[in-house]
């Protein structure tokens, strides 16, 4: 389904819409990174980030070039069995007609047998031209090369699909990391805001004699400890967004914001709780979460994962290479047709002379070449091809083991997040109620500052725990999708992805 764009021109328009950039700032960002200021601050959602990464990431562009190169290899393979047509023409001017010495006895039987006389052979002007057509009738290696080139293209296409699956997963995880650092920043800002409000209320109580200065000092120390954390977290947020921009293939100097609210995201719900999380929930639910048995999930991964399918195609390709090496023992059959004109004339040259001094000839040659002995090179090539096939089989086994481990680990992480989510939600609500009660008790003079501080710390910890759980679940789900080969926006047909990649 067409999501945001179906043509590179639309993609360019999208970049302009999102970032408000023209070509000059982008070039400037690459050439003068130290002098670039933040251009704009625009908010993007997860789906936009994925689509931009698929269209603009350097790895995706290189994968597209590999697919195009495979197309050219197919044409090159076919060229080996196509006719070879050549034309030639040359002109020779004898500035001095060549002279040869022949026995004089040829012309005079009474001459001395050892006597030689000079005889000029040739004419002033000599012309030669014609056409040659060569056609391979049978060449085992050439015919195997044609079928091999098709496998090369299929392997490159699967490689591109594997790259796309990795880029989508990397974008998702990086996006979630940006969200969780943004959430940490929000929580620290909220805590500082609460402490400042509490500090203001405590000052009023101190002025009325209800609390001593030690309570004020505790809050001031707490505020002083949080302010450096606030600065550090702001840099963490900036770094996380730069990581996302890098995955998207955009200059890291751009200033963007990410859309989403982890504190209100319910991983158990089928629908988003608010508009902020709609894109995240939509992508999370785009691929089903079915915690199947390992054997079922692995079988699905073997069918859908690009990296595993590439290895299968590589094994088939190496089988073709083995066939090509074996075919070197077979004869090569070819045919050649030649059509030539020659002309010779004295005096002033006239292009190819006239009918009286011009002649035409035709030849047809059919040949067979059978290699009998070429040292040990052919046998060595066959044995090496067999070794490569065996090596690929071992790679397939190892890749299968790795995929099984990735599936198992992702399943474990998803299960863990699902099991603890309800408890963390409950803990968060309890911490919110506890803080409100401690605040009321302190304001009424029946609670201590230490109680309020403890409640504040528990609330912040509960909020951070919940946000990290949501981020952990979303990242684990992204890894599960990649491990099973069910990655959003990446199907078996990569044509739409190819059309949307921008190559400049």
């Amino acid at each position: 389904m067409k999501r945001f764009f179906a043509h590179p021109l639309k993609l360019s328009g999208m970049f302009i819409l999102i970032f408000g950039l023209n070509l000059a700032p982008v070039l400037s960002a690459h050439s003068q990174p130290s002098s670039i200021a933040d251009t704009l601050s625009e908010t993007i959602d997860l789906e936009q980030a994925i689509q931009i990464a698929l269209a603009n990431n350097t790895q995706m562009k290189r994968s597209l070039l590999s697919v195009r190169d495979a197309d050219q290899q197919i044409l090159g393979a076919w060229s080996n069995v196509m006719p070879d047509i050549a034309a030639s023409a040359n002109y020779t001017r004898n500035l001095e007609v060549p002279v040869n010495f022949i026995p004089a006895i040829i012309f005079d039987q009474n001459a001395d047998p050892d006597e030689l006389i000079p005889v000029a052979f040739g004419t002033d002007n000599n012309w030669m031209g014609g056409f040659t057509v060569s056609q391979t009738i049978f060449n085992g290696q050439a015919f195997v090369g044609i079928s091999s080139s098709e496998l090369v293209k299929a392997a490159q296409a699967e490689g591109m699909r594997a790259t796309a699956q990795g880029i989508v997963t990397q974008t998702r995880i990086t996006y979630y990391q940006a969200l969780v650092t943004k959430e940490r920043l929000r929580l620290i800002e909220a805590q500082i805001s609460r402490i400042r409000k509490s500090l203001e209320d405590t000052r009023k109580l101190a002025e009325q004699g209800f609390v001593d200065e030690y309570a004020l000092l505790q809050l001031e120390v707490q505020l002083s400890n949080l302010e450096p954390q606030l600065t550090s977290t702001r840099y963490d947020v900036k770094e996380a967004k730069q990581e996302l921009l890098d995955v998207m293939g955009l200059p890291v100097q751009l200033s963007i914001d990410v859309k989403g609210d982890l504190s209100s995201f319910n991983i158990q719900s089928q629908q988003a709780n608010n508009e902020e999380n709609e894109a995240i929930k939509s992508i999370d639910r785009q691929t089903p979460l079915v915690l199947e048995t390992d054997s079922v999930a692995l079988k699905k991964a073997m069918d859908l994962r690009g990296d595993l399918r590439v290895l299968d195609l590589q094994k088939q390709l190496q089988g073709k290479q083995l066939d090509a090496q074996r075919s070197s023992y077979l004869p090569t059959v070819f045919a050649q047709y030649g059509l030539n004109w020659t002309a010779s004339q004295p005096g002033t040259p006239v292009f190819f002379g006239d009918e009286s001094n011009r002649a035409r000839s035709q030849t047809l040659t059919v040949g067979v070449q059978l290699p009998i002995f070429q040292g040990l090179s052919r046998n060595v090539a066959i044995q090496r091809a067999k070794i490569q096939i065996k090596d690929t089989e071992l790679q397939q086994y190892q890749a299968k083991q790795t995929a099984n481990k990735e599936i198992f680990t992702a399943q474990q992480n998803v299960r863990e997040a699902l099991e603890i989510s309800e408890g963390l939600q409950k803990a968060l609500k309890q911490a919110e109620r506890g803080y409100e009660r401690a605040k009321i008790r302190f304001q009424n003079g029946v609670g201590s500052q230490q109680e309020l501080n403890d409640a504040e710390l528990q609330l912040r910890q509960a909020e951070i725990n919940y946000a990290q759980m949501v981020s952990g679940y979303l990242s684990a789900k992204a890894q599960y999708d990649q491990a099973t080969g069910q990655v959003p926006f990446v199907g078996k047909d990569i044509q739409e992805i190819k059309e949307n990649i921008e190559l400049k």
Side-chain angles (χ1 to χ4, degrees):
M1 182 180 67
K2 303 289 183 183
R3 291 279 176 178
F4 285 91
F5 41 77
H7 193 277
L9 291 177
K10 295 183 180 179
L11 177 63
S12 301
M14 180 178 172
F15 283 151
I16 296 173
L17 175 63
I18 295 177
F19 300 107
L21 297 175
N22 56 27
L23 183 61
V26 172
L27 292 176
S28 177
H30 285 290
S31 59
Q32 300 176 344
S34 60
S35 63
I36 292 296
D38 289 343
T39 309
L40 283 177
S41 181
E42 293 292 342
T43 302
I44 63 171
D45 62 30
L46 178 57
E47 190 164 351
Q48 290 171 325
I50 290 174
Q51 294 287 10
I52 294 172
L54 284 175
N56 207 51
N57 185 278
T58 302
Q59 294 181 46
M60 292 302 304
K61 293 180 179 180
R62 292 187 65 192
S63 295
L64 177 60
L65 290 176
S66 296
V67 172
R68 292 182 177 178
D69 182 64
D71 290 331
Q72 299 305 312
Q73 290 184 48
I74 292 176
L75 295 177
W78 275 103
S79 69
N80 292 326
V81 296
M82 289 182 177
D84 186 1
I85 303 175
S88 63
N90 61 70
Y91 163 72
T92 302
R93 172 69 180 187
N94 288 317
L95 302 178
E96 292 183 2
V97 177
V99 175
N100 290 316
F101 291 88
I102 62 175
I105 196 172
I106 294 176
F107 301 101
D108 183 3
Q109 294 182 354
N110 298 320
D112 186 347
D114 295 329
E115 182 183 358
L116 299 176
I117 60 174
V119 177
F121 286 94
T123 55
D124 296 330
N125 305 289
N126 295 279
W127 310 82
M128 181 175 291
F131 296 91
T132 301
V133 180
S134 301
Q135 173 64 58
T136 299
I137 298 175
F138 177 80
N139 185 315
Q141 290 185 314
F143 292 139
V144 172
I146 293 174
S147 57
S148 298
S149 64
E150 295 287 350
L151 284 175
V152 170
K153 180 179 180 180
Q156 294 294 0
E158 286 299 330
M160 182 177 184
R161 201 163 68 88
T163 300
Q165 290 174 338
I167 292 300
V168 170
T169 303
Q170 187 180 2
T171 304
R172 292 171 72 181
I173 293 175
T174 309
Y175 190 95
Y176 301 145
Q177 289 297 320
L179 277 181
V180 78
T181 54
K182 180 183 172 183
E183 183 67 14
R184 287 210 324 265
L185 177 62
R186 185 191 70 80
L187 294 176
I188 292 176
E189 290 174 340
Q191 187 178 14
I192 289 176
S193 178
R194 288 194 294 262
I195 292 175
R196 284 175 176 166
K197 180 65 170 61
S198 180
L199 184 60
E200 182 181 347
D201 295 340
T202 304
R203 282 199 180 99
K204 293 179 181 178
L205 293 175
E207 290 172 359
Q208 297 172 6
F210 292 108
V211 296
D212 57 18
E213 293 185 359
Y214 181 69
L216 284 173
L217 182 60
Q218 281 185 309
L219 290 173
E220 289 172 348
V221 170
Q222 194 174 358
L223 185 62
S224 298
N225 287 331
L226 281 174
E227 286 174 344
Q229 293 184 36
L230 178 64
T231 301
S232 178
T233 306
R234 282 174 176 164
Y235 278 99
D236 290 342
V237 171
K238 188 174 182 180
E239 182 178 351
K241 291 177 181 178
Q242 289 172 344
E243 288 291 331
L244 178 60
L245 285 167
D246 185 56
V247 175
M248 292 163 61
L250 299 176
V252 297
Q253 292 85 359
L254 296 178
S255 179
I256 61 169
D257 195 13
V258 288
K259 190 175 184 179
D261 182 10
L262 296 183
S263 64
S264 64
F265 190 91
N266 187 344
I267 67 174
Q268 302 279 4
S269 173
Q270 295 293 322
Q271 303 295 330
N273 295 344
N274 51 41
E275 189 269 339
E276 282 280 306
N277 293 324
E278 282 184 358
I280 299 175
K281 178 63 73 173
S282 173
I283 291 173
D284 180 48
R285 295 297 175 185
Q286 211 174 105
T287 53
L289 176 61
V290 182
L291 299 179
E292 302 146 317
T293 61
D294 294 343
S295 59
V296 175
L298 183 60
K299 184 178 183 303
K300 183 181 294 183
M302 294 295 292
D303 293 335
L304 298 175
R305 278 181 56 158
D307 56 339
L308 299 181
R309 289 168 63 89
V310 163
L311 286 174
D312 183 58
L313 289 168
Q314 284 181 354
K315 182 180 176 181
Q316 295 180 44
L317 181 60
Q318 287 167 350
K320 291 292 184 180
Q321 291 173 344
L322 178 59
D323 292 340
Q325 297 301 334
R326 286 172 172 165
S327 67
S328 65
Y329 285 95
L330 300 176
T332 299
V333 182
F334 65 93
Q336 187 177 70
Y337 169 76
L339 175 62
N340 296 283
W341 288 269
T342 59
S344 299
Q345 62 173 146
T348 304
V350 176
F351 184 73
F352 266 90
D354 53 33
E355 292 291 340
S356 63
N357 52 26
R358 182 170 63 238
R360 189 183 75 173
S361 63
Q362 297 185 67
T363 59
L364 177 62
T365 304
V366 178
V368 178
Q369 290 182 343
L370 177 63
I372 297 175
F373 182 71
Q374 295 179 342
L376 299 176
S377 60
R378 288 182 292 182
N379 185 61
V380 168
I382 289 174
Q383 296 306 316
R384 290 191 63 191
K386 291 180 178 179
I387 292 172
Q388 290 174 357
I389 291 174
K390 185 63 178 178
D391 183 63
T392 302
E393 289 174 350
L394 292 174
Q395 290 182 50
Q396 284 182 301
Y397 174 79
Q398 183 59 50
K400 188 176 179 180
Q401 293 292 97
T402 302
N404 191 45
K405 178 183 176 182
E406 291 171 351
I407 292 170
F408 179 78
T409 302
Q411 286 177 339
Q412 291 288 93
N413 292 337
V414 170
R415 286 193 182 101
E416 179 184 0
L418 290 172
E419 289 177 8
I420 68 176
S421 62
E422 187 175 347
L424 289 177
Q425 276 185 316
K426 183 178 180 181
L428 178 58
K429 292 178 181 178
Q430 290 174 338
E432 289 172 346
R433 289 199 303 269
Y435 175 76
E436 292 300 326
R437 291 186 64 182
K439 181 179 178 181
I440 293 173
R441 282 169 56 82
F442 180 75
Q443 290 174 342
N444 292 333
V446 294
S448 66
Q449 180 64 53
Q450 186 61 43
E451 288 179 354
L452 184 60
N453 291 345
D454 290 343
E456 165 72 30
L457 181 61
Q458 291 174 356
L459 175 59
R460 183 189 172 202
Q461 190 61 50
E463 291 172 328
I464 291 176
N465 289 344
Y466 185 79
Q468 288 178 337
M469 180 275 298
V470 173
S471 175
Y473 163 78
L474 292 172
S475 297
K477 178 57 167 50
Q479 291 168 339
Y480 173 82
D481 290 344
Q482 184 181 20
T484 57
Q486 303 177 92
V487 178
F489 307 105
V490 185
K492 286 190 175 182
D493 184 7
I494 60 171
Q495 185 59 35
E496 183 179 344
I497 295 175
K498 289 166 60 178
E499 291 174 353
N500 293 330
I501 295 178
E502 287 206 337
L503 288 176
K504 296 179 181 179

